[in-house]
Amino acid sequence: MKNILTHYTISELIIKYPFIKDYFNDNLVPFKGHENLTVEQLLGILDYDTIEENAINPEAFKIGLIQYLDIMKAYFVSDKPTNNTITIYPGLYKDGKKEKFEEITIKSGEVVSIVGPTGSGKSRLLADIEWAANKDTPTKRIIHINGRSLETHERFSSSNRLVAQLSQNMNFVMDMTVAEFLDLHASSRLVEDKDTVIQNIFNKANSLAGETFDIDTPITELSGGQSRALMIADTAILSSSPIILIDEIENAGIDRKMALDLLVSEDKIVLMSTHDPILALMGDRRIVIKNGGIEKVLEITDEERSILGELEKMDQFMMSMRNKLRHGKKITLKEEE
Amino acid sequence: MDLITVSGPPSSGKTSILLKTIDHFIRRGLKVGVVKFDCLFTDDDEYFKKLNIPVKKGLSGSLCPDHYFVSNIEEVVEWGVGLDIDILITESAGLCNRCSPYIKGIKAVCVIDNLSGINTPKKIGPMLKSADIVVITKGDIVSQAEREVFTMKVQSVNPKAIIMHVNGLNGQGAFELSTLIYDEKQDVKTLEGMTLRYPMPSALCSYCLGETRIGKKHQVGNVRKIDLGDK
């Protein structure tokens, strides 16, 4: 790997690893006009002013370059791993008692909701999973991914994050259009067929959102529902993380059933902390948290599922009332004429 | 005693992250001390005091805060050793975003937030580039995609760092950070003879020395002119 620095010219490196340009640019190392040199030679001809001005540290730059290439190669091999499993082994309640379950295994394509009062330990469970805890978190739980605990380097690898997160108060903060934004994210994930992927995400987002939006809309101008729709579609399709943690999908302006279906169809494991009975019933199981520990795991029963329709009707009823309000009509229990 | 130097742009969340992290150290029965370096004003030491740990603050005033840090770090270490502290944490804001006085052989943590914009990692110098651990904050308020892109940008300027996401408000990730930054085998008794990871910018001009008048004839020393092209 060391001969990367001395055996190839920069233009050869760029052909082999196109993303290497970003590394030069982000580290403010000027290479334009010197593409016929090796990295070692380029660093040799930089004048004192450039090194001083751009705060370049040649030794760190060389070591970093090799590590950067390693990291980037890791992005390429990740043909989305499917059939992932998470296994949770018992730890301790807040009072130090042992949790009562034997083990809980969750597979790709499953939706599990996590319920419990505020402060009961839902976030801790999500954090344990994100960190692949190995008796080294306050709960002392053990989390296995695909049947084994993770090595230290796997825990910290940023190219291989286990968990993508969607939470209630997320916003877009970048100043760009939907198209530019998706292009940037797709480039950072080094996807091959970028344009198709971007179009795909855009279409999905539009089918999730109540009101459609244009691909040239600035992302900061999207409505709450549209933003969430775009985030969910983008996370489902572009994020390499096999596990998605959702902190309550808002009701407003987004088809939640379709959103969950999309995530599941992309072979994600979906863990969702929620207080909404409709969402909880859309899942397969629910983990009940109490006093910092996993109290029990409930399978959704047929009886519960049979009233899902009823609950959805009530939800739609409330929604129609909201719409009446919104459109300046009188609130009445009767259907509109 | 283990020494940890933490820096990052103002308002990136250094103090919040540290408060949550120190809480985990205290629960493990470790004795923590903090020294906060700032430029003109800070009342962050009050927050640390609420944890009932020894705290000192140093204000650089009219001096360059990073130079001030280096000129005082040896005494700060003596202070910590004298109090028999297990973990001494220094916190300083990289005010000009360029240098950060990280020390060779001493763990260096840089805190930076997702809201600062995707080009920020490029704008920050050795403070980010030569850190051992980069903590990214405010991830709860930006989209997953923006977090991924931002992480990528940090990685491309500092591929060897461990990059962590920590939420300073609810403390998610703070426990994990606490296990990473403290090394009980590390025993720092003095910094005498140690060196900085990166030299600070060369700057000694008339304005460093208190000049206030504007104009060429008042400028002596290390002066560099902006290139505005031909007229």
Side-chain angles (χ1 to χ4, degrees):
Chain A
M1 200 63 187
K2 269 248 161 88
N3 61 20
I4 286 274
L5 304 171
T6 49
H7 278 60
Y8 298 97
T9 66
I10 291 169
S11 57
E12 283 166 345
L13 288 176
I14 291 175
I15 292 167
K16 219 167 154 193
Y17 312 108
F19 45 81
I20 210 169
K21 275 198 243 166
D22 289 343
Y23 183 74
F24 279 91
N25 287 333
D26 289 351
N27 283 288
L28 310 177
V29 172
F31 66 95
K32 291 253 157 65
H34 303 295
E35 285 92 341
N36 57 335
L37 300 180
T38 66
V39 175
E40 198 73 66
Q41 287 167 333
L42 173 73
L43 291 172
I45 62 151
L46 290 182
D47 56 67
Y48 175 80
D49 271 0
T50 310
I51 289 184
E52 176 73 9
E53 201 121 324
N54 297 354
I56 298 164
N57 181 340
E59 281 315 306
F61 181 81
K62 285 188 272 183
I63 299 168
L65 178 66
I66 290 167
Q67 266 155 337
Y68 181 70
L69 289 177
D70 278 342
I71 293 168
M72 297 306 280
K73 282 186 204 151
Y75 276 91
F76 279 113
V77 290
S78 62
D79 313 311
K80 276 189 193 166
T82 49
N83 295 324
N84 289 290
T85 60
I86 313 173
T87 313
I88 308 168
Y89 294 99
L92 306 174
Y93 281 90
K94 271 184 196 152
D95 59 11
K97 288 207 192 83
K98 199 173 177 228
E99 290 176 305
K100 283 168 285 186
F101 64 95
E102 302 253 314
E103 61 165 76
I104 300 168
T105 299
I106 308 170
K107 297 191 186 71
S108 292
E110 251 193 285
V111 178
V112 175
S113 47
I114 298 171
V115 298
T118 310
S120 58
K122 286 179 294 195
S123 313
R124 187 63 249 168
L125 174 61
L126 296 180
D128 281 353
I129 292 172
E130 186 173 13
W131 180 247
N134 194 6
K135 282 201 174 172
D136 54 359
T137 65
T139 61
K140 308 279 179 212
R141 285 192 191 108
I142 299 177
I143 307 289
H144 281 180
I145 307 295
N146 298 332
R148 62 178 182 86
S149 47
L150 294 188
E151 308 281 336
T152 315
H153 73 273
E154 294 175 299
R155 279 174 144 190
F156 299 124
S157 144
S158 32
S159 56
N160 204 10
R161 289 234 176 262
L162 270 180
V163 169
Q165 210 160 353
L166 287 165
S167 71
Q168 191 78 276
N169 50 354
M170 277 183 184
N171 292 297
F172 287 117
V173 292
M174 290 178 185
D175 188 14
M176 48 181 73
T177 67
V178 173
E180 288 165 340
F181 168 76
L182 290 176
D183 184 78
L184 179 69
H185 191 203
S187 310
S188 88
R189 298 243 31 107
L190 306 171
V191 295
E192 305 236 315
D193 194 0
K194 209 160 69 175
D195 293 338
T196 320
V197 172
I198 292 173
Q199 196 58 43
N200 191 6
I201 298 172
F202 174 68
N203 294 344
K204 279 282 194 273
N206 257 322
S207 61
L208 293 178
E211 333 149 62
T212 54
F213 55 92
D214 210 65
I215 200 156
D216 294 322
T217 317
I219 48 176
T220 48
E221 281 176 22
L222 298 175
S223 74
Q226 290 168 334
S227 298
R228 287 194 76 72
L230 182 61
M231 280 181 205
I232 291 172
D234 170 83
T235 304
I237 296 167
L238 257 186
S239 173
S240 67
S241 311
I243 304 168
I244 300 196
L245 304 182
I246 302 182
D247 200 358
E248 198 92 33
I249 309 185
E250 260 174 74
N251 205 350
I254 172 159
D255 189 328
R256 294 178 296 174
K257 179 88 180 78
M258 209 196 274
L260 283 182
D261 286 346
L262 170 64
L263 293 170
V264 166
S265 69
E266 294 289 328
D267 263 323
K268 304 285 185 186
I269 293 176
V270 181
L271 288 163
M272 158 174 79
S273 117
T274 184
H275 301 294
D276 181 341
I278 297 181
L279 270 180
L281 291 184
M282 282 176 188
D284 306 289
R285 285 187 280 172
R286 57 184 191 269
I287 292 177
V288 183
I289 309 269
K290 199 177 159 187
N291 253 328
I294 296 179
E295 181 76 6
K296 53 188 168 189
V297 183
L298 297 175
E299 296 282 334
I300 311 292
T301 63
D302 288 343
E303 194 191 336
E304 281 181 325
R305 221 168 251 133
S306 71
I307 63 165
L308 180 58
E310 202 73 17
L311 289 176
E312 276 171 340
K313 254 183 239 156
M314 289 186 215
D315 195 45
Q316 260 153 26
F317 183 71
M318 268 314 279
M319 184 89 90
S320 70
M321 290 295 142
R322 260 186 227 121
N323 278 336
K324 280 180 190 166
L325 189 67
R326 201 178 279 155
H327 294 115
K329 298 194 175 133
K330 271 201 174 139
I331 309 279
T332 140
L333 292 179
K334 287 193 209 99
E335 284 298 314
E336 285 293 317
E337 61 284 350
Chain B
M1 183 183 75
D2 194 2
L3 173 65
I4 299 154
T5 55
V6 178
S7 55
S11 300
S12 56
K14 296 178 295 298
T15 303
S16 304
I17 298 289
L18 282 177
L19 288 169
K20 301 280 182 196
T21 309
I22 290 170
D23 190 44
H24 290 288
F25 287 135
I26 294 174
R27 280 191 231 172
R28 279 169 66 187
L30 294 164
K31 193 168 174 195
V32 186
V34 175
V35 178
K36 166 90 188 185
F37 285 90
D38 224 314
C39 190
L40 294 176
F41 171 79
T42 184
D43 52 9
D44 288 345
D45 52 323
E46 297 299 323
Y47 294 103
F48 289 113
K49 273 183 195 148
K50 284 186 190 150
L51 296 176
N52 285 317
I53 56 173
V55 183
K56 290 282 172 201
K57 69 173 163 185
L59 294 177
S60 60
S62 60
L63 297 178
C64 160
D66 291 324
H67 288 231
Y68 177 78
F69 174 92
V70 189
S71 325
N72 284 288
I73 188 66
E74 171 64 5
E75 285 80 356
V76 164
V77 167
E78 272 169 34
W79 170 78
V81 171
L83 286 175
D84 204 20
I85 283 169
D86 297 310
I87 310 166
L88 177 62
I89 301 175
T90 65
E91 183 197 324
S92 62
L95 293 170
C96 67
N97 274 343
R98 187 197 193 273
C99 49
S100 175
Y102 295 141
I103 302 157
K104 281 184 192 158
I106 300 292
K107 205 162 297 159
V109 181
C110 176
V111 180
I112 172 173
D113 75 86
N114 270 301
L115 290 180
S116 57
I118 45 168
N119 285 323
T120 298
K122 205 163 149 180
K123 295 179 191 165
I124 301 180
M127 173 165 78
L128 177 63
K129 290 181 191 168
S130 60
D132 302 305
I133 299 173
V134 178
V135 174
I136 304 180
T137 59
K138 302 182 192 173
D140 55 328
I141 44 180
V142 302
S143 63
Q144 175 69 22
E146 283 162 295
R147 270 202 307 265
E148 287 179 13
V149 172
F150 194 78
T151 309
M152 247 338 241
K153 293 281 176 187
V154 171
Q155 205 165 44
S156 94
V157 296
N158 189 348
K160 63 181 193 314
I162 291 175
I163 302 174
M164 285 203 68
H165 295 260
V166 181
N167 182 331
L169 295 180
N170 66 16
Q172 193 178 339
F175 170 80
E176 288 74 9
L177 180 64
S178 80
T179 64
L180 275 182
I181 58 176
Y182 174 50
D183 180 359
E184 48 191 335
K185 283 183 234 111
Q186 176 81 270
D187 189 19
V188 180
K189 292 205 169 67
T190 171
L191 295 182
E192 191 66 53
M194 289 197 175
T195 52
L196 292 177
R197 294 190 187 189
Y198 197 83
M200 309 241 200
S202 46
L204 194 61
C205 68
S206 28
Y207 298 107
C208 301
L209 300 169
E211 177 63 77
T212 55
R213 288 166 301 175
I214 296 167
K216 242 182 212 151
K217 61 181 175 188
H218 307 297
Q219 297 165 351
V220 290
N222 196 345
V223 177
R224 191 177 292 153
K225 291 296 185 184
I226 185 172
D227 182 6
L228 296 171
D230 296 330
K231 275 175 204 148

